[in-house]
Amino acid sequence: MTSSPLPHGTAFPTLRTPSGDLPADAPRWNPQRPSAMPHHRYQSAHERVALPLTDRRWPSRRLERAPLWVPVDLRDGNQALAEPMDTERKRRMFDLLVTMGFKEIEVGYPSASQTDFDFVRHLATSGAVPDDVTVSVFTAARQDLIDRTVASVEGLPRVLVHLYTATAPTWRDVVLGRSREEVHALIHEAATHLLRRVEERPHADIRFEFSPEVFNLTEPDFVLEVCNSLSELWEAGPDRPVVHNLPATVEIATPHVYADQIEYMDRHLARRDAVILSVHPHNDRGTGVACAELAVLAGAQRVEGCLFGNGERTGNVDLVTLALNLYAQGVNPMIDFSDIDAVREVVQYCNRLPVHPRHPYGGDLVHTAFSGTHQDAISKGLAHHAKRAAELGVPAEQAPWAVPYLPIDPGDIGRTYEEVIRINSQSGKGGIAHLLHTHHGLDLPQGMRPDFSRTVQQVTDSTGEELSHKELWELFRTTYLAPALDGPATLESWHTTEPVPGEHRFTCTLRTGDREHHCAGTGNGPLSAFADALSGIGVTVDILGYTEHSTTSGPNSPAVAYAECRVDDVVRWGAGWDTSVLTASVHAVMAAVNRSGRVAS
């Protein structure tokens, strides 16, 4: 998606150029001045919440295994949609998540709407939930909502009831109007009621999750107090652990601050072996992925998020990026993204929201290079990868991956190489040569590449559009191949002989305008003899360089020849294409001569 341009004659929006006094400690190389925007209205995270961790250990750790991924697309993601999903779209999303390998899925907020309630009942009665998949349902800490939630999950094989209440001071004061003690009492009362309702179903497999909403702005000691009391109440044990989910509901600090908060909880939670420490980062600062990754380093074992990051405001953390970031580091993501386009198609259908073309891993353009330097490096990298795979004796898709600018092999996630390199005005000779080679079997000589690149640049600059590989081939054909057959001089007929070894004779009939010229020449090869024959139409030709190759395998493969010629004082490239190598080479010289502009018609 792109912004619409301003109509011609429309004034640009009025902005106030920063013009405050230059800070006294500003270095000479930084002339930025203070903006008039009222930044003083906002407090840093350090002023809003205590950060007790001082001896952090997470920075020296490494991500070596995937956490438990929990998609919340059907609940948190769904409530952020302008058009929430109906049962059909919810079921399609659920089936996708199961197919991808998610084993715990938050499916709805059954007390919030009849649609959500009906969908949970649909899952319970349709047999759609595999035996090893846990269904999570979300509820606020109110008895009537808990009752509705528990009623919705009747018959489901494995359930996690997710209880939440906001705990941060601003929310306690502004939204709930309760003190710390009153909020804790509210949570404990709701958790007790939930426990009693579940105990009425002794044969049901129901576990508990608690989220102190806006954890990242809540006093750490208060979160510990509440979570520890619930672990005790719910009798958390290693065989029946409780999930304590610590959301960065509104992201307000750099990612390391959240990591510090998570490590503090990891080191101080009671019954730690009976607690699954979970995180739920949002993306208000655009660093949700970083928050989640650092939180896992800090001790989190479970991550809630959405595919491609849908959610309120700037969204929930993106599980696609998180999982494939691990994959790019050689860690199994434990989720199948081998057909990422199919995943994206379902998500876009269910959410009725587009995935940005530059979205990490999943966007249309993320594996595409337009820049000339990038294209050249990728082209060389792909060739080196193929060579390395052959040396190792393994298929290219199994060889170690090390291609510049491509962190993972697009083929691993179901992409083809067709769109890796695309041509526009920013492109270079390496990318152009790569597309012609990949799609049309041409291996342009190094000296010819900048020549054709200039031609491509003229077209893309004048049109402002990109060229497909088919359009690129057509431009090559009209530039280098067609002049041999449709130029100021044409070969009506020709043949070569070798009267004695090492001496070749070339005879031909050339047409220029309405005139026919019967010409002959000699040389140490057919092409040098042809160049000599061309003196019959008044041009002097010196062949500076020549290469040829077949374009495909097999006895009837077309051959292509490239010739760089000095025609009088002008140097031009030409190309020829034919099943006969000799014919292709003669046409290449003829094309270069006609492109020189030195032939009188």
Side-chain angles (χ1 to χ4, degrees):
M1 295 185 296
T2 57
S3 299
S4 300
L6 290 170
H8 182 69
T10 302
F12 285 96
T14 301
L15 298 174
R16 294 176 293 175
T17 300
S19 58
D21 293 336
L22 196 67
D25 59 349
R28 294 182 61 184
W29 48 264
N30 185 355
Q32 291 179 152
R33 294 178 179 274
S35 163
M37 296 176 66
H39 64 282
H40 59 274
R41 300 177 60 206
Y42 305 98
Q43 290 181 301
S44 73
H46 300 270
E47 296 172 297
R48 300 178 69 180
V49 64
L51 302 173
L53 188 69
T54 57
D55 57 336
R56 61 181 61 88
R57 301 168 189 170
W58 61 262
S60 61
R61 297 173 184 163
R62 296 175 57 184
L63 294 175
E64 297 179 329
R65 62 178 298 174
L68 176 65
W69 307 115
V70 180
V72 296
D73 301 74
L74 292 166
R75 194 278 300 174
D76 202 354
N78 185 57
Q79 71 185 33
L81 299 177
E83 300 177 51
M85 298 181 221
D86 56 18
T87 295
E88 184 272 331
R89 284 156 61 203
K90 274 179 166 275
R91 176 61 188 270
R92 187 165 180 184
M93 177 72 81
F94 180 81
D95 289 345
L96 170 70
L97 296 171
V98 169
T99 300
M100 293 174 70
F102 291 103
K103 298 302 180 184
E104 189 173 303
I105 303 170
E106 191 170 80
V107 300
Y109 194 162
S111 64
S113 73
Q114 188 64 42
T115 301
D116 272 23
F117 184 91
D118 289 345
F119 180 66
V120 177
R121 296 307 307 143
H122 165 76
L123 293 179
T125 58
S126 65
V129 184
D131 290 341
D132 63 345
V133 171
T134 296
V135 166
S136 172
V137 287
F138 191 73
T139 180
R142 263 178 42 191
Q143 291 190 10
D144 58 328
L145 303 183
I146 291 170
D147 291 343
R148 178 79 166 161
T149 302
V150 173
S152 74
V153 301
E154 176 69 34
L156 281 166
R158 187 175 284 103
V159 176
L160 184 72
V161 178
H162 182 176
L163 184 73
Y164 84 96
T165 296
T167 55
T170 299
W171 276 254
R172 295 195 307 258
D173 297 341
V174 176
V175 181
L176 300 175
R178 301 191 184 209
S179 66
R180 274 178 50 151
E181 292 73 19
E182 290 170 329
V183 169
H184 189 173
L186 178 153
I187 295 169
H188 198 274
E189 180 181 346
T192 302
H193 181 74
L194 173 59
L195 178 63
R196 288 173 181 162
R197 291 305 316 273
V198 169
E199 287 175 340
E200 295 170 2
R201 305 180 183 193
H203 301 297
D205 185 358
I206 301 177
R207 294 188 298 110
F208 305 121
E209 173 180 355
F210 173 66
S211 286
E213 190 180 2
V214 208
F215 154 79
N216 56 324
L217 277 171
T218 304
E219 306 92 332
D221 66 309
F222 183 46
V223 176
L224 278 174
E225 175 188 319
V226 173
C227 289
N228 287 340
S229 71
L230 296 188
S231 295
E232 181 178 358
L233 171 69
W234 288 334
E235 297 182 345
D239 58 339
R240 195 166 178 271
V242 164
V243 177
H244 285 311
N245 183 55
L246 307 177
T249 309
V250 180
E251 200 179 20
I252 51 88
T254 48
H256 80 281
V257 172
Y258 189 52
D260 285 351
Q261 293 173 315
I262 298 302
E263 183 173 341
Y264 179 82
M265 297 298 293
D266 176 50
R267 288 159 60 176
H268 292 88
L269 277 168
R271 304 193 185 202
R272 185 63 188 88
D273 63 343
V275 170
I276 299 171
L277 183 56
S278 175
V279 292
H280 182 118
H282 276 248
N283 198 43
D284 299 87
R285 290 169 54 93
T287 58
V289 166
C291 278
E293 291 181 329
L294 298 192
V296 173
L297 288 176
Q301 301 152 290
R302 178 181 183 273
V303 177
E304 296 185 350
C306 288
L307 298 180
F308 301 108
N310 176 48
E312 300 282 13
R313 304 180 308 282
T314 58
N316 292 287
V317 70
D318 174 20
L319 296 184
V320 175
T321 300
L322 281 172
L324 288 176
N325 279 356
L326 283 182
Y327 183 75
Q329 296 294 312
V331 177
N332 194 314
M334 309 300 283
I335 300 296
D336 184 11
F337 290 98
S338 59
D339 190 350
I340 201 165
D341 286 343
V343 173
R344 187 184 64 187
E345 179 184 345
V346 173
V347 171
Q348 289 182 142
Y349 168 78
C350 293
N351 288 344
R352 295 181 178 170
L353 290 173
V355 171
H356 195 280
R358 294 292 184 186
H359 193 99
Y361 301 106
D364 272 335
L365 296 178
V366 295
H367 302 293
T368 299
F370 290 102
S371 162
T373 54
H374 288 208
Q375 291 174 343
D376 184 60
I378 291 170
S379 178
K380 291 175 179 175
L382 290 173
H384 181 269
H385 177 73
K387 178 182 177 183
R388 179 65 175 149
E391 291 172 348
L392 294 172
V394 299
E397 62 270 19
Q398 294 180 15
W401 183 256
V403 175
Y405 296 113
L406 294 177
I408 65 171
D409 183 347
D412 287 353
I413 54 174
R415 291 288 181 81
T416 67
Y417 295 107
E418 185 166 338
E419 297 300 314
V420 169
I421 291 177
R422 289 164 58 176
I423 303 302
N424 65 11
S425 60
Q426 303 299 308
S427 305
K429 58 185 184 295
I432 294 166
H434 175 83
L435 286 189
L436 288 176
H437 182 264
T438 300
H439 298 284
H440 304 285
L442 300 181
D443 188 6
L444 301 191
Q446 290 294 330
M448 191 181 194
R449 296 181 182 193
D451 187 76
F452 186 44
S453 178
R454 286 189 288 271
T455 301
V456 173
Q457 185 87 34
Q458 290 171 359
V459 173
T460 53
D461 273 342
S462 63
T463 63
E465 298 176 352
E466 67 173 291
L467 295 179
S468 68
H469 69 83
K470 294 179 180 178
E471 292 168 326
L472 203 61
W473 159 253
E474 182 60 21
L475 183 59
F476 179 86
R477 188 192 68 77
T478 57
T479 303
Y480 297 107
L481 296 174
L485 305 175
D486 183 20
T490 56
L491 274 167
E492 297 290 300
S493 62
W494 61 274
H495 70 275
T496 65
T497 59
E498 190 176 5
V500 297
E503 180 181 307
H504 294 258
R505 182 172 177 79
F506 192 102
T507 59
C508 61
T509 299
L510 287 162
R511 176 176 294 278
T512 58
D514 296 330
R515 297 180 59 196
E516 280 192 353
H517 308 266
H518 299 285
C519 306
T522 59
N524 60 5
L527 291 188
S528 61
F530 178 40
D532 187 42
L534 287 168
S535 63
I537 58 171
V539 296
T540 301
V541 180
D542 184 13
I543 300 174
L544 305 178
Y546 169 80
T547 59
E548 65 187 42
H549 63 82
S550 62
T551 56
T552 59
S553 59
N556 297 317
S557 169
V560 63
Y562 314 92
E564 183 183 23
C565 301
R566 180 182 292 112
V567 185
D568 294 337
D569 58 346
V570 176
V571 176
R572 289 290 183 268
W573 280 92
W577 178 286
D578 199 270
T579 53
S580 163
V581 174
L582 179 58
T583 300
S585 62
V586 170
H587 286 174
V589 174
M590 192 76 253
V593 170
N594 279 329
R595 294 188 68 235
S596 72
R598 291 297 187 261
V599 179
S601 59

